[in-house]
Amino acid sequence: MLKLTRALFLQDPQVAYADYYERTLYNGILASQDPDTGMATYFQGERPGYMKLYHTPENSFWCCTGTGMENHVKYRDSIYFHDDRSIYVNLFIPSTVHWIEQGAVLTQTTAFPETPSTTLSWTLKQPTALTLKLRHPRWSPTAVVLVNGNEVLRSNTAGHYIELARVWRDGDRVELRLAMHLGIDRAPAAPDIVALTYGPLVLAGALGREHLEPGSDLVVNERKYGDYNDAAFAPPTLAGNPETLPQTIRATAKPLEFTIPAADQQPLRLVPYYRIAHERYATYWKLGSNDNQPV
């Protein structure tokens, strides 16, 4: 899907394609690799209480393992695009791009998604008239752009490119400040099933390792996926009005970590889905109702 999205963007450069690419990159590709061993998943179950299962270094190499390994050297694939005089910044990833035809180097420095901002610095052989097109994603209601520390514009129109056309000089710095908010996505055919989000990130309930042995998520036979995940486990549930549910989420002192009261009012830890490894999780929630939350 990312290869297709990239091809579509080359024909018709829309922010919607870049937004989709970003969301899939973080919630699908980045989430598919074991951060400790480097192994990849074959299938990511979505039943609450499942855990990710990874192939082994030597004894399993499933049909999608090769693709899964390839994914993780392609993060640079679609950060930048350009035409004759413009360069698009689609992804907020630390990187450097050499625009040989223009004698220009653009370096991006960012801690995204832990902070919703990025800084771009020009290295130029001579002053050059170029257009910098910065993605204002749909998940950010506002965007602020500073050039060399001075605010030059504010955007309240999410889902378009902010264009900076000017003569750039060596050392010029551009800062893009965005805003990430808590929200929900609802299943079109089942509006009582929701996913919790923060900006472009899907938040998963981190459900711990009850009845899971260390290393039990590195497996040889992926066809027994259900067998590995069949231990008795009762995942927590959420209750309330989908529209007001994000208001019950609270940030913790740790970056990109939150809590939400479960239906029994016990705090449930939420983290970006890509951070989930070696424990049970839930990404989709079928909402109930109780007397303690709005319905």
Side-chain angles (χ1 to χ4, degrees):
M1 290 303 295
L2 292 188
K3 290 179 180 178
L4 174 60
T5 304
R6 176 183 171 88
L8 290 170
F9 184 87
L10 288 169
Q11 297 298 316
D12 182 14
Q14 296 185 34
V15 163
Y17 292 135
D19 282 353
Y20 173 83
Y21 198 102
E22 175 184 63
R23 185 160 185 154
T24 303
L25 188 71
Y26 283 96
N27 301 305
I29 302 306
L30 185 59
S32 71
Q33 188 172 39
D34 179 357
D36 298 316
T37 67
M39 303 298 102
T41 59
Y42 173 81
F43 174 74
Q44 299 180 51
E46 297 302 338
R47 189 179 76 183
Y50 267 26
M51 67 173 176
K52 299 174 185 177
L53 298 178
Y54 307 98
H55 67 83
T56 61
E58 297 177 350
N59 297 317
S60 54
F61 201 82
W62 312 323
C63 60
C64 287
T65 303
T67 302
M69 293 174 64
E70 173 189 288
N71 289 335
H72 304 289
V73 296
K74 292 172 67 65
Y75 291 110
R76 65 179 186 173
D77 221 25
S78 297
I79 303 174
Y80 308 101
F81 295 83
H82 73 84
D83 55 26
D84 290 343
R85 305 300 301 180
S86 302
I87 186 166
Y88 295 79
V89 180
N90 273 8
L91 299 175
F92 312 124
I93 294 176
S95 53
T96 298
V97 60
H98 295 256
W99 194 354
I100 297 174
E101 295 84 354
Q102 298 295 341
V105 176
L106 188 62
T107 300
Q108 183 172 185
T109 305
T110 182
F112 183 85
E114 291 192 358
T115 55
S117 63
T118 191
T119 299
L120 299 124
S121 301
W122 286 103
T123 301
L124 296 161
K125 295 180 179 179
Q126 60 187 16
T128 307
L130 299 170
T131 300
L132 184 63
K133 296 188 176 184
L134 305 173
R135 178 172 64 100
H136 181 176
R138 289 192 179 277
W139 50 258
S140 179
T142 61
V144 178
V145 179
L146 297 85
V147 175
N148 297 330
N150 299 312
E151 183 178 322
V152 296
L153 62 83
R154 287 178 175 260
S155 169
N156 295 312
T157 307
H160 84 295
Y161 283 100
I162 299 170
E163 298 192 11
L164 298 176
R166 58 190 292 160
V167 175
W168 300 99
R169 290 171 170 79
D170 186 55
D172 279 348
R173 297 174 71 254
V174 179
E175 183 180 357
L176 174 65
R177 297 177 181 175
L178 302 171
M180 295 172 72
H181 294 282
L182 294 159
I184 62 166
D185 274 354
R186 305 174 73 165
D192 60 337
I193 296 178
V194 303
L196 304 173
T197 60
Y198 183 60
L201 307 177
V202 172
L203 297 177
L207 305 183
R209 293 193 50 85
E210 183 180 342
H211 303 308
L212 300 177
E213 295 296 327
S216 60
D217 48 358
L218 267 68
V219 303
V220 173
N221 188 351
E222 86 287 351
R223 297 185 184 277
K224 293 186 177 181
Y225 192 97
D227 296 341
Y228 291 107
N229 280 290
D230 67 353
F233 180 77
T237 59
L238 298 181
N241 183 333
E243 300 304 324
T244 59
L245 197 63
Q247 300 172 21
T248 67
I249 300 174
R250 297 291 180 265
T252 72
K254 298 180 180 180
L256 300 181
E257 184 173 304
F258 306 86
T259 61
I260 187 173
D264 62 2
Q265 297 303 302
Q266 294 299 308
L268 173 63
R269 179 169 165 260
L270 299 173
V271 297
Y273 178 55
Y274 70 78
R275 287 187 180 175
I276 292 288
H278 315 306
E279 67 177 312
R280 300 182 188 276
Y281 63 86
T283 52
Y284 292 98
W285 308 89
K286 184 176 176 61
L287 298 181
S289 62
N290 59 31
D291 294 334
N292 299 317
Q293 296 199 29
V295 294

